[in-house]
Amino acid sequence: MPTFVPSRLTAARTLRGLTQPQLGQRIGKSGNAIYTYEVGRVNPPDYVVGLLAQALGLGVTDLYEPDPDDPVLRALNDFDGEPWLAQEMPELGLNVQRRTPLRAPIPA
């Protein structure tokens, strides 16, 4: 399961020039609630993360750390061929690396 990252919330809020109370007002929460999310004292429920993302103009996944046990992410990280996806789509932020050295061609 992905993990909420408090520092991403803080960074997004400050980049947009919002105070904690201002962000709280946008989503119907108090400034103190935003503070507790930002310092990691409380993990916001998923629906609140959705409200935060919307208020900050982000995607919900921008506020989470990917789950390293996710089978799709694991498959990408274990990919044994050319990391074409990472090369063709760098905006995905994928760190696809070979786990084994290149294989020599099979003789005919």
Side-chain angles (χ1 to χ4, degrees), residues 9 21 49:
L9 173 59
V49 175

Side-chain angles (χ1 to χ4, degrees), residues 32-76:
N32 188 51
I34 303 302
Y35 169 80
T36 63
Y37 303 151
E38 289 186 358
V39 298
R41 188 176 298 154
V42 174
N43 278 334
D46 290 338
Y47 83 93
V48 172
V49 175
L51 294 172
L52 289 165
Q54 185 177 20
L56 294 167
L58 301 172
V60 173
T61 57
D62 294 329
L63 296 174
Y64 287 102
E65 184 67 35
D67 180 1
D69 293 327
D70 181 291
V72 173
L73 186 60
R74 187 180 308 136
L76 288 171

